Amino acid sequence: NKNTESATDLDEAFMRRINVLDTTSKFKQHMATNGGYELEEARGKEKGRVRNTRCSIDKVKLMAAEVAQIPSYLKEEKVFRYDSERHDLRSVVARILQVTPESLHRIHELVEFRGPQRAGKPILFHKRWANRKKHPLGLGDEFRAVLGRFVEYEVTKILNTTSTVIYQKQPVLRSACPSSEPLGHAHRDEQYYRPPFEINIWVPLTKVFGTNSLWTESERGKGDMHPFECEYGEAVRFYGHQCMHMTKTNVTDSTRVSLDFRVVVKELFVENYISPLTKKEQIASPFMLGMTYTDTETEREWRRQNGWAI
């Protein structure tokens, strides 16, 4: 497999994927005058839902202005090492899934996880993760504590800040089993009206390489699609709001299990953010502290009150 693809190849692959969903779909690129900011327009159906990212050039310029306010170093892709013994996310996730940490990469071979899948995850995988807060041994709270310390002591360093860090309360646990179909589609997070001040943190819990990994471009429009290649104990900071990212058909014999969530340096945070790319006036915003987000100060106090290591 190639480690890079040209922008043309990426566009063609994206077009093919959309056309599989809807033969009337079109993939277009428009250049706004603000810094060569490009807008993809795509319309397709996936799982019965219509995806439509059409919007005016004026809205694109507003988004470009918002993106320009984000410090450039936060937009750069960075692989970083962390103390995986102190912040052993893999161990607690494995216990929630009722497997050993060493077996995560071959979870597709375990008899109990064979059978129907949803979004690339065996149904049992999904159920056990979704029910972690009800775990009789309190593993949901343990995961919350470990994640909070990881963000406070590791992510703050890679964000180059001593400030409070705001982050998603519910990280996503994903798996990519060996299969004949890719998961999802190539996209940028702005297409889901995410705030431009969010930075993506991607934490693989297994070795990731080639087609079992997440693929991304290094900066918007560059088209240099490449996989993250990491061992356990390494994680990635990248700017998914503006960088196209996608998965490929996993033709390896290894399942990838990973966590991902978004973080915000407090000074950049905008409460009740509404994207200028929304197609109609939006009154309510999900981007609020206490709902979508928590922060390092709140989580440190929660750990103190509940007897977890600070």
Side-chain angles (χ1 to χ4, degrees):
N1 297 305
K2 298 179 181 179
N3 284 350
T4 60
E5 295 181 347
S6 69
T8 301
D9 290 340
L10 174 64
D11 289 351
E12 290 177 353
F14 190 21
M15 180 65 179
R16 285 195 301 272
R17 197 174 292 187
I18 291 173
N19 282 340
V20 167
L21 302 171
D22 183 358
T23 56
T24 65
S25 300
K26 294 182 179 180
F27 182 86
K28 301 177 182 178
Q29 289 187 325
H30 292 283
M31 298 301 293
T33 57
N34 193 329
Y37 188 96
E38 60 179 319
L39 170 69
E40 280 99 8
E41 293 184 332
R43 184 175 179 87
K45 295 179 181 178
E46 183 177 9
K47 298 180 181 178
R49 294 173 297 188
V50 173
R51 299 187 184 277
N52 189 347
T53 59
R54 284 196 172 91
C55 56
S56 71
I57 293 299
D58 287 341
K59 289 184 176 183
V60 172
K61 290 180 181 179
L62 286 173
M63 176 57 76
E66 292 183 0
V67 169
Q69 297 176 34
I70 309 303
S72 58
Y73 76 90
L74 289 177
K75 302 174 187 176
E76 296 172 359
E77 179 185 312
K78 179 73 173 178
V79 176
F80 63 97
R81 292 201 61 83
Y82 65 93
D83 187 341
S84 58
E85 291 187 5
R86 184 182 183 190
H87 312 294
D88 195 357
L89 292 161
R90 180 174 66 175
S91 177
V92 66
V93 167
R95 283 184 286 132
I96 290 171
L97 297 178
Q98 299 176 36
V99 300
T100 65
E102 295 75 21
S103 66
L104 283 174
H105 73 285
R106 56 183 184 84
I107 203 167
H108 61 283
E109 297 177 353
L110 303 181
V111 173
E112 62 182 323
F113 286 96
R114 293 176 184 173
Q117 295 190 2
R118 182 169 64 196
K121 294 184 289 191
I123 293 295
L124 185 60
F125 180 107
H126 174 82
K127 286 183 176 179
R128 287 179 177 173
W129 177 248
N131 291 330
R132 66 190 181 278
K133 294 181 181 179
K134 302 175 183 178
H135 198 284
L137 298 180
L139 293 182
D141 282 350
E142 182 178 351
F143 175 80
R144 177 179 175 179
V146 174
L147 179 69
R149 289 193 297 270
F150 171 72
V151 174
E152 181 165 354
Y153 297 108
E154 300 288 353
V155 174
T156 52
K157 290 188 292 186
I158 200 64
L159 296 179
N160 193 28
T161 184
T162 57
S163 174
T164 297
V165 171
I166 295 167
Y167 63 98
Q168 280 182 284
K169 293 179 69 174
Q170 305 297 336
V172 181
L173 182 70
R174 303 184 195 271
S175 68
C177 297
S179 68
S180 60
E181 297 291 336
L183 305 176
H185 66 283
H187 68 279
R188 298 184 176 107
D189 290 352
E190 69 169 7
Q191 293 173 247
Y192 295 90
Y193 313 131
R194 304 292 314 190
F197 45 74
E198 291 182 326
I199 307 300
N200 301 62
I201 301 296
W202 192 74
V203 188
L205 305 180
T206 56
K207 182 178 180 179
V208 292
F209 57 95
T211 56
N212 82 356
S213 189
L214 181 67
W215 289 62
T216 184
E217 58 184 351
S218 59
E219 60 183 71
R220 186 183 181 102
K222 196 167 185 179
D224 56 340
M225 300 300 289
H226 59 279
F228 297 139
E229 300 201 345
C230 306
E231 302 284 344
Y232 178 60
E234 294 180 312
V236 185
R237 178 198 74 198
F238 75 104
Y239 195 36
H241 186 271
Q242 291 295 292
C243 292
M244 185 79 74
H245 49 287
M246 62 186 290
T247 60
K248 295 193 173 188
T249 301
N250 182 3
V251 297
T252 75
D253 61 359
S254 179
T255 289
R256 180 252 298 170
V257 179
S258 60
L259 287 162
D260 61 85
F261 56 97
R262 300 171 181 88
V263 299
V264 185
V265 177
K266 185 177 182 180
E267 287 77 10
L268 298 175
F269 183 68
V270 177
E271 188 86 34
N272 298 317
Y273 175 84
I274 296 177
S275 170
L277 301 183
T278 52
K279 297 184 290 297
K280 56 185 178 180
E281 185 176 353
Q282 184 176 337
I283 299 175
S285 168
F287 304 114
M288 295 185 290
L289 271 171
M291 291 186 64
T292 303
Y293 303 107
T294 185
D295 64 73
T296 48
E297 290 183 4
T298 298
E299 294 302 308
R300 188 189 314 119
E301 179 61 18
W302 176 84
R303 294 195 302 274
R304 186 190 66 79
Q305 291 182 359
N306 289 276
W308 295 100
I310 300 300

